């Protein structure tokens, strides 16, 4: 399981109702169901991922988050999760607003494009970074909104979103210490627990 997903398990109450936006093949939802006994629903747009998630016995809805989540009533979930998909939607601010409308609490994770290696790569080579962590070139990346820790926190302040907790993931064993002290520079992945 990806590091960001293992970090957020502790924020999800056993037996709660969880909506996983961009659930991919459903691996995380299956973990939540099996380890936390959650009642989970996934949203996914890719047909191969939908088929894989259904094969895991999960409740999946084929839906494009960018077209809204109006089919879900207010406060219909305890937790809404958006893991490594914020940067891939066309309207991240709208998706966040919808998440906060339909969930009592939300969890968002995203790659931190302010990481020092991204900055160094761009500064030294003059090209968009390509790495093991971000293996796409500028023209074929699913990432359309490059966000940093500071960008996300500024959006939260502007929109009145309350940050309950922040966690970060670094590349090496010593980087988490640096990432907690200077998250915008050393966090490869930012993890937020938010609410209204």
């Amino acid at each position: 399981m990806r590091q960001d997903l293992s970090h957020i398990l502790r924020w999800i109450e056993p037996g709660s109702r969880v909506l996983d936006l961009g659930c991919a093949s459903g691996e995380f939802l299956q973990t939540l169901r099996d380890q936390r006994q959650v009642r989970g629903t996934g949203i996914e747009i890719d047909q191969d991922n939908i088929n894989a998630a259904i094969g895991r016995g999960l409740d999946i809805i084929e839906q494009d988050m960018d077209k809204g989540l109006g089919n879900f009533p207010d406060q219909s979930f305890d937790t809404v999760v958006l893991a490594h998909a914020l940067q891939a939607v066309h309207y991240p601010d709208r998706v966040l607003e919808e998440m906060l409308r339909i969930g009592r609490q939300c969890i968002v994770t995203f790659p931190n494009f302010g990481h020092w290696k991204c900055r160094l790569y761009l500064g030294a080579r003059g090209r968009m970074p390509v790495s093991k962590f971000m293996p796409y070139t500028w023209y074929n990346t699913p990432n359309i909104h490059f966000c940093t820790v500071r960008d996300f926190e500024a959006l939260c302040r502007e929109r009145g979103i309350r940050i309950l907790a922040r966690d970060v993931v670094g590349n090496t064993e010593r980087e988490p210490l640096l990432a907690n002290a200077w998250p915008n520079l050393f966090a490869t992945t930012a993890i937020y627990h938010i609410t209204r």
Side-chain angles (χ1 to χ4, degrees):
M1 181 183 305
R2 278 192 340 240
Q3 274 190 304
D4 62 319
L5 298 176
S6 62
H7 279 246
I8 66 177
L9 277 173
R10 70 185 185 278
W11 292 337
I12 297 176
E13 292 294 321
S16 60
R17 294 163 299 150
V18 175
L19 178 63
D20 187 1
L21 302 176
C23 69
S25 67
E27 179 185 5
F28 183 60
L29 260 181
Q30 182 179 10
T31 300
L32 289 174
R33 180 190 66 195
D34 297 347
Q35 293 181 11
R36 297 277 191 183
Q37 293 71 49
V38 304
R39 290 165 286 151
T41 302
I43 298 281
E44 181 55 50
I45 197 167
D46 179 83
Q47 192 60 53
D48 291 335
N49 281 335
I50 292 168
N51 293 341
I54 290 172
R56 294 174 188 267
L58 301 169
D59 294 328
I60 304 299
I61 299 170
E62 182 176 2
Q63 187 168 339
D64 183 348
M65 289 180 278
D66 276 320
K67 293 184 178 173
L69 298 168
N71 52 319
F72 295 102
D74 294 359
Q75 304 296 296
S76 53
F77 290 90
D78 298 306
T79 305
V80 180
V81 176
L82 182 67
H84 268 258
L86 182 69
Q87 74 284 354
V89 296
H90 285 91
Y91 308 104
D93 56 334
R94 292 184 200 166
V95 171
L96 280 172
E97 293 291 342
E98 282 289 273
M99 289 174 67
L100 291 160
R101 178 185 64 77
I102 60 180
R104 287 190 3 249
Q105 298 180 3
C106 301
I107 299 170
V108 179
T109 77
F110 57 89
N112 175 32
F113 290 96
H115 188 269
W116 72 269
K117 286 184 181 178
C118 293
R119 297 177 192 207
L120 181 63
Y121 192 106
L122 183 59
R125 297 183 184 189
R127 298 184 66 190
M128 292 306 294
V130 177
S131 66
K132 181 180 175 186
F133 179 66
M134 292 186 281
Y136 302 100
T137 56
W138 68 270
Y139 56 85
N140 69 359
T141 183
N143 303 317
I144 57 177
H145 290 285
F146 300 100
C147 178
T148 70
V149 167
R150 285 186 182 166
D151 289 327
F152 185 79
E153 290 183 2
L155 177 63
C156 288
R157 279 190 304 277
E158 290 168 14
R159 299 295 172 97
I161 298 170
R162 191 162 51 104
I163 297 172
L164 299 172
R166 177 185 71 199
D167 202 353
V168 292
V169 175
N171 272 340
T172 64
E173 285 185 24
R174 73 174 173 248
E175 259 194 4
L177 296 173
L178 295 171
N180 282 312
W182 299 288
N184 204 50
L185 192 57
F186 291 103
T188 54
T189 298
I191 307 164
Y192 286 87
H193 190 190
I194 59 174
T195 192
R196 278 280 182 220

